[in-house]
């Protein structure tokens, strides 16, 4: 377990990753760089959430930065430790995979809605209210 203070950078966009993080306590922001001066908050994470799954699964550099919004406690799990956990406790591994799949599905749906709103705004000046 690792503790982070408000404002601490937990992972940095474009840096090598490979760990999955579980939020045991606290609040974090997931931010994407738009250009050198601007970022967009993609998501807020709270107790019970996880992040880092993209780099965890495909070993590609981090796609966004994660910053502590409040002090937080995180559990960091490497692919090696995760593999050992799944091998030794298949039922726990299955539950983790199921929860991750559900969360990733929810995030994908949210991203699809965001893309739709952005496209409509760009071509029609339309503002989504629902």
């Amino acid at each position: 377990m690792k503790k982070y203070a408000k404002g601490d950078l937990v992972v940095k966009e474009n840096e090598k990753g490979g760990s999955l993080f579980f939020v045991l306590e606290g609040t974090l922001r997931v931010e994407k760089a738009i250009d050198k001066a601007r970022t967009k908050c993609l998501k807020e994470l709270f107790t019970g959430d996880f992040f880092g799954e993209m780099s965890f699964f495909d070993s590609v550099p981090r796609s966004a930065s994660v910053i502590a919004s409040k002090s937080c406690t995180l559990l960091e799990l490497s692919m090696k430790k995760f593999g050992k956990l799944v091998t030794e406790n298949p039922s726990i591994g299955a539950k983790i995979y199921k929860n991750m799949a559900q969360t990733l599905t929810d995030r994908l749906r949210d991203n699809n809605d965001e893309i739709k709103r952005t496209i409509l705004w760009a071509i029609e000046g339309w503002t989504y209210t629902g």
Side-chain angles (χ1 to χ4, degrees), residues 6-129:
K6 179 181 178 178
D8 284 353
L9 181 66
V10 179
V11 298
K12 186 175 180 182
E13 186 173 350
N14 296 320
E15 284 191 345
K16 185 176 187 225
S19 297
L20 180 64
F21 293 84
F22 295 91
V23 183
L24 303 180
E25 183 179 333
T27 306
L28 303 104
R29 294 184 320 277
V30 180
E31 293 186 353
K32 179 78 176 159
I34 304 301
D35 56 30
K36 289 184 181 183
R38 295 179 291 181
T39 61
K40 165 131 173 75
C41 181
L42 301 177
K43 180 147 188 70
E44 280 194 301
L45 301 168
F46 303 97
T47 301
D49 286 334
F50 66 87
F51 63 93
E53 70 282 353
M54 291 169 62
S55 290
F56 179 74
F57 285 122
D58 65 12
S59 300
V60 172
R62 302 281 184 193
S63 63
S65 295
V66 179
I67 299 121
S69 300
K70 296 180 180 176
S71 62
C72 56
T73 305
L74 306 176
L75 174 65
E76 183 176 3
L77 192 60
S78 69
M79 182 55 97
K80 183 177 179 179
K81 288 181 184 176
F82 184 73
K84 183 177 179 185
L85 173 70
V86 170
T87 300
E88 292 175 357
N89 302 285
S91 63
I92 292 173
K95 287 179 185 178
I96 292 172
Y97 275 125
K98 182 179 185 268
N99 289 337
M100 288 176 71
Q102 183 61 57
T103 298
L104 293 172
T105 300
D106 293 343
R107 289 178 184 174
L108 183 56
R109 282 196 178 99
D110 290 344
N111 288 341
N112 287 343
D113 289 343
E114 179 73 18
I115 290 168
K116 177 182 175 180
R117 287 190 298 273
T118 301
I119 291 169
L120 288 169
W121 174 83
I123 61 175
E124 300 176 1
W126 182 79
T127 302
Y128 179 75
T129 58

